[in-house]
Amino acid sequence: MITTVLRHALRARGKEPAVLCHTGANTRAELTGLPTAPGDLVLDLDARPLGAPVLDDDPVAGLVALVAATTTDLHRALTNAVHLPRAVHLVAALVATPGHQEPPVPVGPGLGQWRDLQELRVRRVGSRGWVCELFFPNAIESAPVLDAVFHGTRGRRRGPAVAPSAALNGVEAALWRPGDTGAHGVSAEGPVPLRRVTPVGDLALRAHGPDAPPDWTDANVPVLDRATTGTDSWEALTGPHGHDRAGRSPLLVTDRPGADPVHHVAPVDETTVNPTGFTKAEKGPLGDLTLRGDSAVVADGRKDLVTVAPDGTVTDVDLSRLRHLRGVRVDWSGHSGPHAAVRAVASLAAGGVPLVSGPVPAWAAGLGAPLTALLGSAAEADLSDRLAREEYSVRLRRAALYTHGQRSRWRALAAEAGVPVPPAPRVSVILCTRRPDMVGFALAQIARQRGVDVETVLTLHGFPASLPRVRAAVDAYRATGLPLVVHEAPADRVFGAVLNDSVALASGDLLAKWDDDDWYGPEHLADLVLARTYSGAELVGTGQDFVFLQEIDLMVWRSRESETATRFIAGGTILTDRVVLEETGGFRPLPRAIDTQLLIAVTRGGGRVHRTHGLGYVLRRTGGGHTWSEDMAYFLHNYARQWSGWRPSSLLEGEPAPLGSGAEDGRPVGTTQHTGGHP
């Protein structure tokens, strides 16, 4: 089907040249046997260096086509696409996509560039592939069109940008900056071009082979040099100059002062390689990451499920083919070299695939200490328990995404080069309570959050801050140094309006709703921010996986589907951007069902809601007073496991003492008493 579309496009393109591109495994075959003309170009974007223009004389083509094996490959190719010429006819083809993605229906950029679009076709290819064709009467820039096709698979929101802006050179430079149509290819020696009087990038990165690059000539833009994945391949290291290359490799020499091998590994593209699609597969088979012939594969017995690219790239489609596995054993002898092996293992971990491993070899120090320590902490038997398996998966994905995610990597590169970047977004926690006795409990949950810059807006709904217990809790929280805004709302003001008043007092970029009587793990907010980054969703939260039925002292684990688009999450776990609340009209001025109404408004407006794992949150159910009206029987008939007494996930990391109590008030963990009010 893809070849048929391209054949018709070539016959209809007129006299202008055609530029046919491919990226990802086995895509060259889609371009074989086409009726090309002498001036046409067939380009392997994975092998083409950034900084080299495609058409020198006439930057206009009759047809630009890109065939990508997966969405991950398309995203990486967007960086190379900055060199593609303008065209009147553009074709973007995806050979395969994971089941959780939307069709690639592009949305115009909004500045009038597509005002004269003549025709748009989106067709399915087989069961998982797509072809998108766009026709314009006048030539248009190719990269923004391909970018719009990619983001059609994710909805309208792009997620946070990668900083700083980059100028790139080299064959594998796109591995370091996938999806960035704002990146610019530059020559190996520089300088970085100017847009009027401003350099087009704040930091240059050159990805090169074993030969030293030329001297850098730009005094205004710093440059960092990184080796390509093949430079440290086993074949290169065992060749005539292998000993010298090993001695120079930051991935193999870890005792050099100031050298961090992690920052010399091309990052994981968390936009497509992430836990989305994670399944409860504790009864599935155990796969192996090993070597078959000249290629690294993930195999289930004799069946190869995934062939890993020589540069270590794992795609979103690869992850979807592994979701039925209980886990994957890592055979450290099974890849083309240190750099590629580290990238493959980090990508699998970032995707939430549970990994088991023997001792991690010294040459894999590029994984980083957190991920290395985790890989040796789980046994195969642990993956047969559903809860233990998911807890381990969450720890792995955290370590991999924090250490190897593209956004984290570029902030580290900027620090290395001395380039300032914007601060991470601040999270404003919106805590509204009618219960003076729960203020210290709720503030203690917020005070232990780590990995985020947090501010709290505490709204006292119907009682003053001067109450002794409230004053003690507020003083104890402020003693931590964390910012706190205290607001007193009249008792007769409707709950939804009180929440909007609280939002108006917040200064953060992101807003998180917090319930006063539920339990939150110390990485609850960090996990939500991470999910917002890789999902691109307008609103994220968790499900009510763990529910503590206080009246009968019973903990219920419901084991709901996670890492998925959804219409429903726990109201006490909502995290969204301030602009999303503006777009949806804020919280409705109602006494209850506030959270549900916000979720409906987001989805009705074309936004997406993403549910991440629910292991770091426990919903408390008492006899009454909840805005969610399901009774206890609902939870007793909908669970995967239950325990007598307090038994949260280990990711909750226990329960802190309420602030302002001086010390613990003598009550056992999990039995804090309260009545009435809204969570």
Side-chain angles (χ1 to χ4, degrees), residues 580-659:
V580 173
L581 283 180
E582 294 174 357
E583 291 171 350
T584 55
F587 294 99
R588 291 187 63 188
L590 300 171
R592 61 178 60 244
I594 308 302
D595 308 324
T596 301
Q597 292 301 311
L598 177 61
L599 298 176
I600 291 172
V602 168
T603 55
R604 186 175 55 221
R608 289 180 300 136
V609 177
H610 182 88
R611 183 166 63 220
T612 188
H613 75 88
L615 303 185
Y617 169 71
V618 177
L619 174 73
R620 185 201 305 259
R621 298 297 295 188
T622 57
H626 294 277
T627 56
W628 186 27
S629 59
E630 297 289 355
D631 61 20
M632 192 177 301
Y634 173 82
F635 300 102
L636 291 175
H637 287 89
N638 291 276
Y639 67 88
R641 201 175 297 178
Q642 66 179 23
W643 302 270
S644 178
W646 175 253
R647 172 57 172 84
S649 161
S650 62
L651 297 184
L652 196 77
E653 299 185 25
E655 175 187 4
L659 292 180

Side-chain angles (χ1 to χ4, degrees), residues 274-288:
N274 58 59
T276 302
F278 177 81
T279 59
K280 322 284 186 178
E282 74 281 2
K283 296 182 180 179
L286 199 62
D288 292 279

Side-chain angles (χ1 to χ4, degrees), residues 512-515 518 520 542 544 568-575 587 594-596 599 617 619 628 679:
K513 190 169 174 291
W514 202 273
D515 282 356
D518 296 336
Y520 300 82
T542 79
Q544 296 107 340
F568 183 76
I569 58 171
T573 70
I574 287 173
L575 181 135
F587 294 99
I594 308 302
D595 308 324
T596 301
L599 298 176
Y617 169 71
L619 174 73
W628 186 27

Side-chain angles (χ1 to χ4, degrees), residues 16 60-61 87-90 113-119 134-140:
E16 295 85 0
V60 176
V88 294
H89 185 184
L90 295 105
Q113 301 99 311
W114 290 20
R115 195 172 292 140
D116 56 355
L117 174 69
Q118 288 185 320
E119 188 174 355
L134 299 98
F135 301 84
F136 297 88
N138 300 300
I140 189 170

